[in-house]
Amino acid sequence: MERNEITNVTSSRLSSVLTDIHFWVPVAVLLAGLLLLKFIR
Amino acid sequence: MASVEMPRGSLPVQNTSRAKKLQYLGILSGFTAGAWLGAAEAPTKLVTIGIPPMVISLIMVIGVFLARWSLPALILGTSSVRADVRRAPHLIIWAVLAGCLWAVANTLTIFAIRDIGLSIAFPLWNSNSLLGIFWGFFFFNELRQAGWRRWTGVLGGALVMCAGATLLAIASSTQAPAGHSLRGVWAALGAGILWGTMYIPYRKAYLTGMNPLSFITFFTFGELGMMSALAVSYTGLSPLWQELTSARSVIFWLMLGGFIWVIGDLFQQYAAKYVGISRGIPLSNSNQLWGLLWGIFVFGELHGRSSSTYLQVIGGSLLMMLGAGAIAFSSAAADEQARWKEAAQREVRRYGVEADYVEARMNGRQAADELVKPSRSAWDWLLVAGASGIFVLFAAIARVPQMSLHWGPVALLIAALLLLLLICGLALWRTTRFN
């Protein structure tokens, strides 16, 4: 029972992260930075 | 800490005075950050042998990693870090993400300096503060209802600082661009965008109430992980190891640079926490001014240069001071701070963080159900001793570089650094107990 609650909280937190624009903007910029680094190397 | 009973009318007055105190604290932290971040360049200038820039960065980041774990253990204890993470575990993702952004940006600056020279590259990546202002406004309600005077102070101050930084970079530049100019411009702009965006995780963590000391301990995993991955992919594991072993006599100086950088960055984090990224970041960008002071007075870098160079230095320094002053006098008023709280409420609702904790931490206090006094365990002392031991080990095999240094300015600058550390550290301790 308690384990189920912990799993629910974790998955809801994860879905909060994955639907947060504050997460995706830095991720997009990081990926673009890595691509740029590959391009200019 | 539980709130103290007091007459109803005195609460708003006390809150306003507390908010003002925290604003001053943030501004002081920003200036202290600039001084320490600028001083971090000094030990790296002692390294004159031909070590690849990627290896220099990696060694500095190893020093940073050691400092980022040992300093929080020494100041508050890792129990405080664990308690913070239990309250808002989702922030670990943002801390690691910010560390990765830092490492990629730092690597891009190496290419930018190589391709277009410091004088063009620096102003381009220094634009990160303008992007920080934009993200602060767009995502975290900074400068909302701030009025045109504060807008002019912050945005105008940041622009004036950029102009000053450009003059200083032109004056201190010694190398000519080596070609591939477009590539270098892209690299410098990319670094600015990555660093500017790195402040999104910073602000998010501090609006949620995380302690800067907790944030940096996880930030450094992203930093070291990404930097190691980049160094291995660029040089290969075996050549990288060879470079590291052949550089062992200078590793201490580079790690010391990383250690000093961490102290500066810690104050930068407190500035971001108490005055936001739109004001905290431009203030800590005054590090260029301090870096130049070290370069000119300690290493005699501009010795024998033309009078126009000295004019550029004086003009650039005055502009940077003017810009920093304009930002320092544009602290957030009550209306704007109410908007910051709205942004914090978003985090409370979205991630289920306790509202009391967020409110208390925004005011630089412990929440009612937190331990009154964080304690250090044997593990903390072991961490501090381990990190210190590694520094001592590399100091023992370090070669003292054959350079002519001006010891008078060294003593003066170190005294200024220690004075700022003492004043700002004491102010943080008295006002917030580092919360």
Side-chain angles (χ1 to χ4, degrees):
Chain A
M1 182 77 170
E2 198 178 325
R3 181 169 285 187
N4 280 347
E5 275 175 21
I6 292 170
T7 314
N8 285 344
V9 168
T10 310
S11 70
S12 100
R13 199 168 271 143
L14 188 66
S15 74
S16 295
V17 170
L18 293 176
T19 53
D20 192 343
I21 185 81
H22 296 173
F23 172 71
W24 288 108
V25 169
V27 166
V29 170
L30 176 64
L31 292 175
L34 285 167
L35 272 177
L36 178 64
L37 206 53
K38 191 171 184 245
F39 168 70
I40 62 172
R41 215 175 119 181
Chain B
M1 218 174 284
S3 59
V4 181
E5 284 290 321
M6 60 181 66
R8 213 170 260 265
S10 66
L11 263 172
V13 177
Q14 204 208 33
N15 284 345
T16 312
S17 117
R18 175 85 183 165
K20 266 189 184 167
K21 209 181 254 188
L22 292 175
Q23 289 279 308
Y24 293 139
L25 198 57
I27 288 163
L28 180 62
S29 299
F31 279 116
T32 310
W36 280 83
L37 291 172
E41 292 170 28
T44 62
K45 285 180 196 282
L46 298 173
V47 180
T48 51
I49 60 168
I51 306 172
M54 194 69 82
V55 178
I56 290 183
S57 280
L58 179 63
I59 298 171
M60 279 188 81
V61 167
I62 293 170
V64 164
F65 184 82
L66 291 172
R68 283 202 197 277
W69 273 92
S70 52
L71 278 181
L74 184 68
I75 297 172
L76 281 184
T78 45
S79 60
S80 152
V81 176
R82 281 197 300 274
D84 248 11
V85 168
R86 271 198 296 272
R87 302 261 186 180
H90 62 286
L91 288 175
I92 294 176
I93 296 172
W94 270 275
V96 173
L97 192 54
C100 293
L101 284 164
W102 183 90
V104 177
N106 192 52
T107 311
L108 281 170
T109 63
I110 296 170
F111 289 98
I113 293 170
R114 188 194 65 185
D115 288 343
I116 54 173
L118 186 67
S119 59
I120 304 170
F122 194 95
L124 289 176
W125 79 60
N126 209 24
S127 59
N128 67 355
S129 58
L130 299 176
L131 189 60
I133 291 173
F134 172 74
W135 290 133
F137 172 79
F138 192 70
F139 282 139
F140 304 113
N141 292 349
E142 289 186 18
L143 291 167
R144 301 273 173 115
Q145 293 178 323
W148 67 270
R149 271 181 53 208
R150 286 190 171 78
W151 260 105
T152 312
V154 174
L155 197 57
L159 285 170
V160 167
M161 283 187 82
C162 282
T166 309
L167 272 179
L168 293 184
I170 292 169
S172 59
S173 169
T174 49
Q175 75 268 50
H180 305 298
S181 55
L182 192 61
R183 207 171 62 176
V185 167
W186 276 112
L189 279 175
I193 292 169
L194 281 150
W195 269 329
T197 307
M198 182 183 77
Y199 300 126
I200 295 177
Y202 277 35
R203 191 59 177 150
K204 189 176 185 71
Y206 302 139
L207 273 179
T208 311
M210 186 170 247
N211 190 323
L213 290 164
S214 309
F215 186 74
I216 62 168
T217 48
F218 294 98
F219 177 98
T220 199
F221 277 107
E223 198 177 26
L224 183 64
M226 182 58 82
M227 197 65 233
S228 305
L230 290 173
V232 169
S233 71
Y234 273 66
T235 51
L237 196 57
S238 170
L240 178 65
W241 180 249
Q242 278 173 359
E243 291 283 359
L244 287 173
T245 49
S246 64
R248 62 184 176 279
S249 62
V250 293
I251 283 179
F252 171 72
W253 301 111
L254 295 171
M255 282 177 35
L256 183 65
F259 188 88
I260 296 171
W261 190 84
V262 167
I263 297 176
D265 184 55
L266 193 53
F267 285 114
Q268 185 180 21
Q269 308 275 349
Y270 278 106
K273 181 173 169 77
Y274 293 125
V275 289
I277 51 179
S278 55
R279 293 168 178 90
I281 305 312
L283 286 179
S284 47
N285 272 0
S286 59
N287 66 334
Q288 198 190 352
L289 198 57
W290 287 89
L292 201 66
L293 284 178
W294 280 88
I296 293 174
F297 293 111
V298 175
F299 297 97
E301 280 180 355
L302 298 185
H303 185 70
R305 300 279 288 271
S306 66
S307 57
S308 69
T309 304
Y310 284 95
L311 276 177
Q312 282 170 347
V313 170
I314 293 166
S317 306
L318 286 175
L319 282 177
M320 285 206 83
M321 285 189 264
L322 194 71
I327 295 166
F329 283 109
S330 310
S331 54
D335 284 349
E336 189 188 339
Q337 287 183 31
R339 299 301 305 271
W340 293 5
K341 285 185 181 164
E342 283 173 24
Q345 285 306 311
R346 173 198 184 268
E347 303 302 312
V348 168
R349 285 192 301 272
R350 190 174 185 91
Y351 293 100
V353 186
E354 289 159 43
D356 288 351
Y357 165 79
V358 173
E359 173 81 19
R361 288 301 185 91
M362 267 191 97
N363 291 324
R365 293 192 168 102
Q366 282 186 303
D369 55 347
E370 283 185 270
L371 284 173
V372 174
K373 197 177 174 190
S375 58
R376 284 174 215 88
S377 63
W379 166 246
D380 295 323
W381 293 116
L382 202 67
L383 261 177
V384 174
S388 311
I390 293 171
F391 270 96
V392 169
L393 183 79
F394 282 110
I397 57 169
R399 184 170 44 82
V400 181
Q402 298 294 316
M403 287 181 86
S404 64
L405 301 178
H406 301 104
W407 290 103
V410 170
L412 269 178
L413 284 168
I414 289 177
L417 282 180
L418 292 176
L419 190 67
L420 278 170
L421 176 72
L422 189 73
I423 293 171
C424 196
L426 268 178
L428 276 169
W429 173 252
R430 281 188 181 154
T431 316
T432 70
R433 294 287 189 270
F434 293 115
N435 285 310

